[in-house]
Amino acid sequence: EHPNGLAEAFIIGKEFVGNDKVALILGDNIFYGTGLAELLQANNNPEGGIIYAYHVQDPERYGVVDFDKEGNVLSIEEKPAQPKSNYAVPGIYFYDNSVLEIAANIQPSPRGELEITDVNKEYLKQGNLKVSILDRGTAWLDTGTFPSLMQAGQFVQVIEERQGLKIGAIEEAAYKMGYIDAKQLETIAQPLLKSGYGVHLISLLER
């Protein structure tokens, strides 16, 4: 009901997470690129925490991560005046189950929020934080402002119209990965036929 910080997700979602490992992805972040699915799947069983690094021109606007050649995190700072690297931390994180306890025990920051950076710093303190680099061909779009939302919409439109593919089609991904079968996909698609999205899902069954 109140924006108390990203780390509160693990307090609110404790029962949902249960004894599992968990991923957190910010709702206003869009990721797109070749090999992205494979990269995420390779990191979805972490021992500790895994964060991502994305090369940016203006790292002082973001959380910044510095790391060694093995992907071990050396430092992580929130919007530093003197960044130690050009690698920003985008809004996607993988954690083992200890994140529930870590999130429950961090203190609010000076701005009154439970910061995801403090969760990552606790993993770093324990020596259990790794970083995975997003390829330079990966697009990371943060749609938290009106201009960036417009840019993201144009990006998605260009890709979809040029390639005839859909970005972010979770039903398509679930079908291709075997989580749902053809009959389930058709059931999902039927109420969506007028939108055009259902037509796309049905076309998967015809290929």
Side-chain angles (χ1 to χ4, degrees):
E1 295 181 1
H2 305 284
N4 294 324
L6 296 180
E8 191 185 27
F10 301 108
I11 298 173
I12 295 172
K14 182 177 181 179
E15 291 186 15
F16 175 79
V17 176
N19 296 319
D20 292 330
K21 298 180 180 183
V22 61
L24 173 67
I25 305 177
L26 303 192
D28 61 0
N29 279 213
I30 294 175
F31 300 89
Y32 180 81
T34 303
L36 185 59
E38 291 79 7
L39 174 66
L40 298 182
Q41 289 170 26
N43 291 331
N44 71 2
N45 190 28
E47 297 299 330
I50 294 177
I51 60 175
Y52 291 81
Y54 189 88
H55 195 278
V56 295
Q57 185 175 339
D58 47 357
E60 63 278 357
R61 292 180 51 209
Y62 305 94
V64 174
V65 61
D66 188 28
F67 50 92
D68 63 21
K69 293 181 180 179
E70 282 72 47
N72 298 303
V73 178
L74 303 175
S75 69
I76 181 168
E77 299 175 285
E78 188 66 30
K79 297 183 175 124
Q82 301 292 330
K84 294 180 181 178
S85 81
N86 278 82
Y87 283 96
V89 180
I92 182 168
Y93 317 87
F94 284 89
Y95 298 113
D96 63 12
N97 194 256
S98 63
V99 72
L100 299 180
E101 183 178 354
I102 290 173
N105 287 287
I106 62 173
Q107 299 300 311
S109 66
R111 63 178 186 164
E113 294 192 6
L114 299 174
E115 306 283 359
I116 198 69
T117 296
D118 289 337
V119 170
N120 293 329
K121 283 184 176 179
E122 182 57 32
Y123 273 108
L124 176 58
K125 182 180 175 183
Q126 297 174 7
N128 286 329
L129 186 64
K130 290 274 192 178
V131 64
S132 190
I133 300 174
L134 292 177
D135 187 85
R136 63 187 297 171
T138 301
W140 168 38
L141 305 171
D142 184 340
T143 65
T145 65
F146 289 126
S148 62
L149 182 61
M150 290 285 290
Q151 291 169 0
Q154 290 167 344
F155 176 85
V156 171
Q157 180 185 22
V158 168
I159 295 294
E160 290 192 349
E161 291 185 357
R162 184 79 171 175
Q163 298 185 338
L165 304 173
K166 290 292 182 187
I167 294 178
I170 58 174
E171 295 86 358
E172 178 180 353
Y175 175 61
K176 289 183 175 178
M177 295 178 72
Y179 294 136
I180 60 175
D181 60 26
K183 186 175 181 180
Q184 289 171 306
L185 182 64
E186 185 175 8
T187 300
I188 293 169
Q190 284 299 328
L192 304 173
L193 289 176
K194 287 184 179 180
S195 71
Y197 184 65
V199 174
H200 169 72
L201 296 181
I202 291 294
S203 73
L204 300 174
L205 301 174
E206 298 169 350
R207 290 174 190 172

